[in-house]
Amino acid sequence: MTLDDIRTLMHDDLKATDALILERLASDVVLINQIGHYIIHSGGKRLRPLLLLLAARACGYEGRQHHTLAAVIEFIHTSTLLHDDVVDESSVRRGRDTANEVWGNAASVLVGDFLYSRSFEMMVEPGDMRVMEILSEATNVIAEGEVLQLLNCHNPDVSINAYMDVIHRKTAKLFEAATRLGAVLAKQPQWENALADYGRHVGAAFQLIDDALDYMADADTLGKNLGDDLAEGKPTLPLIYLMENGQPDEVAMVRRAIEEGGLDQLSEITRLIQTSGALDHTRLEAEKQADLARTALNDLPDSPIKQALNSLADLAVQRSH
């Protein structure tokens, strides 16, 4: 199944979720409306809310609260993007100027705070303490992941384990929460851990490919500036692999680039990454995560929804942006 096929399958749920996002984004503070609408309509994939909707339907859920929680997931994700772009001093996301580039850092941070608080306001609506536990824990873990990533910046000695820890906290945790919530809403505890495992592994695969794309896509396709990770001194898996397998002079150049940040050596480091096997290695690791995601669903009853979930694991690896 293609992503369009999956979106067609979930058309009514996605339409209801989008309508709710717009409704709950509204504020009588004009700047909140401007920035909120700007980033919500900036071409995001809505992958995380889609996963929640699919997980709920896979467990036989027939209510409407999955729309509310899908919107919550999107608001949490959007708030992290607003904050990330300020921390990373990013100027382009999804092919457009970032909100902080247009309105400044202070406005972006504060609107991100608004989206966080709005998401907590909404997550109480299902009246389920388990929902609150999952989402509050997820937001805390994500914040820890952001801090760990900040600590790892400009450190060329970051291990693969430390790198994967950041991925699981910063990115995969929200995927995991989204899919776990599907089982919780449907009152199907026997599927909760399996769907959580699925979401965590899909999220890890997604981030691994994201890190590889920073050295293999073109800026127009990727929707952000190439080399952003290197410029910010982030030791992602392609760089870690190159440092573990490159020649001493190559390793020294990469270490220096991570320590100092900037793009002076971007073209040469990109060439080395593309010829060293670093991208193939990163893609292989992403494929392993996708395999683990599909395996987690083995006992889930066969259905078009299960097929869609399996296809999303594939698409997380095959994407070009």
Side-chain angles (χ1 to χ4, degrees):
M1 297 175 77
T2 67
L3 185 56
D4 284 343
D5 292 333
I6 297 169
R7 291 189 181 283
T8 298
L9 177 67
M10 301 300 293
H11 175 267
D12 290 346
D13 281 333
L14 286 170
K15 184 177 179 181
T17 300
D18 281 345
L20 189 58
I21 286 171
L22 291 176
E23 176 188 332
R24 303 306 289 271
L25 190 61
S27 168
D28 57 7
V29 178
V30 174
L31 186 60
I32 289 176
N33 288 324
Q34 289 177 330
I35 297 179
H37 281 268
Y38 183 81
I39 192 166
I40 287 288
H41 291 294
S42 63
K45 304 174 185 67
R46 295 277 204 277
L47 183 56
R48 294 156 187 82
L50 176 59
L51 283 170
L52 190 152
L53 297 171
L54 285 165
R57 292 304 192 197
C59 292
Y61 183 68
E62 297 293 341
R64 296 178 59 84
Q65 292 293 349
H66 61 323
H67 301 147
T68 300
L69 294 185
V72 166
I73 291 289
E74 185 66 6
F75 282 167
I76 291 173
H77 175 55
T78 303
S79 67
T80 65
L81 297 185
L82 284 164
H83 291 164
D84 278 357
D85 286 341
V86 171
V87 172
D88 297 340
E89 300 180 2
S90 299
S91 60
V92 177
R93 180 181 288 277
R94 298 170 178 167
R96 305 171 71 190
D97 290 341
T98 55
N100 52 297
E101 184 76 4
V102 178
W103 286 279
N105 288 341
S108 292
V109 169
L110 292 172
V111 173
D113 291 345
F114 167 81
L115 291 175
Y116 254 135
S117 59
R118 178 54 55 89
S119 70
F120 273 83
E121 184 179 58
M122 293 172 65
M123 71 177 69
V124 306
E125 293 175 13
D128 188 331
M129 185 58 70
R130 181 70 179 132
V131 169
M132 291 291 294
E133 289 174 351
I134 291 166
L135 286 168
S136 58
E137 190 242 355
T139 56
N140 193 258
V141 170
I142 292 166
E144 291 175 335
E146 295 283 2
V147 174
L148 282 175
Q149 180 172 265
L150 184 64
L151 293 174
N152 288 347
C153 283
H154 304 293
N155 178 8
D157 296 315
V158 170
S159 68
I160 290 178
N161 286 341
Y163 162 77
M164 290 301 298
D165 187 32
V166 169
I167 279 182
H168 282 123
R169 292 172 187 256
K170 181 176 177 290
T171 301
K173 187 63 181 181
L174 193 57
F175 283 76
E176 174 190 318
T179 47
R180 184 186 292 276
L181 284 169
V184 171
L185 276 179
K187 309 296 184 186
Q188 299 290 341
Q190 71 273 24
W191 301 122
E192 191 178 319
N193 287 336
L195 284 166
D197 289 345
Y198 165 86
R200 182 171 64 257
H201 292 304
V202 168
F206 185 91
Q207 185 60 55
L208 283 161
I209 292 301
D210 205 59
D211 291 344
L213 288 173
D214 205 47
Y215 298 97
M216 60 188 291
D218 62 87
D220 289 339
T221 300
L222 188 58
K224 66 176 184 177
N225 294 321
L226 295 180
D228 273 356
D229 290 341
L230 186 63
E232 295 156 15
K234 292 179 181 176
T236 57
L237 187 56
L239 292 172
I240 295 171
Y241 179 90
L242 182 55
M243 285 189 290
E244 289 184 347
N245 296 277
Q247 297 300 313
D249 59 328
E250 298 169 347
V251 173
M253 178 173 59
V254 174
R255 289 183 64 89
R256 187 167 58 252
I258 291 173
E259 289 170 345
E260 298 175 359
L263 300 174
D264 292 346
Q265 303 294 329
L266 175 61
S267 60
E268 179 61 14
I269 291 174
T270 298
R271 184 189 69 80
L272 290 172
I273 285 175
Q274 292 176 346
T275 58
S276 67
L279 294 178
D280 289 339
H281 175 74
T282 303
R283 182 173 291 277
L284 179 61
E285 292 302 311
E287 288 172 352
K288 289 178 181 177
Q289 292 293 326
D291 286 342
L292 289 169
R294 288 188 292 270
T295 299
L297 298 181
N298 278 348
D299 293 334
L300 205 68
D302 289 335
S303 69
I305 300 295
K306 180 179 177 178
Q307 183 185 351
L309 287 167
N310 280 320
S311 294
L312 278 176
D314 295 329
L315 292 169
V317 177
Q318 296 166 0
R319 68 196 184 90
S320 60
H321 63 282

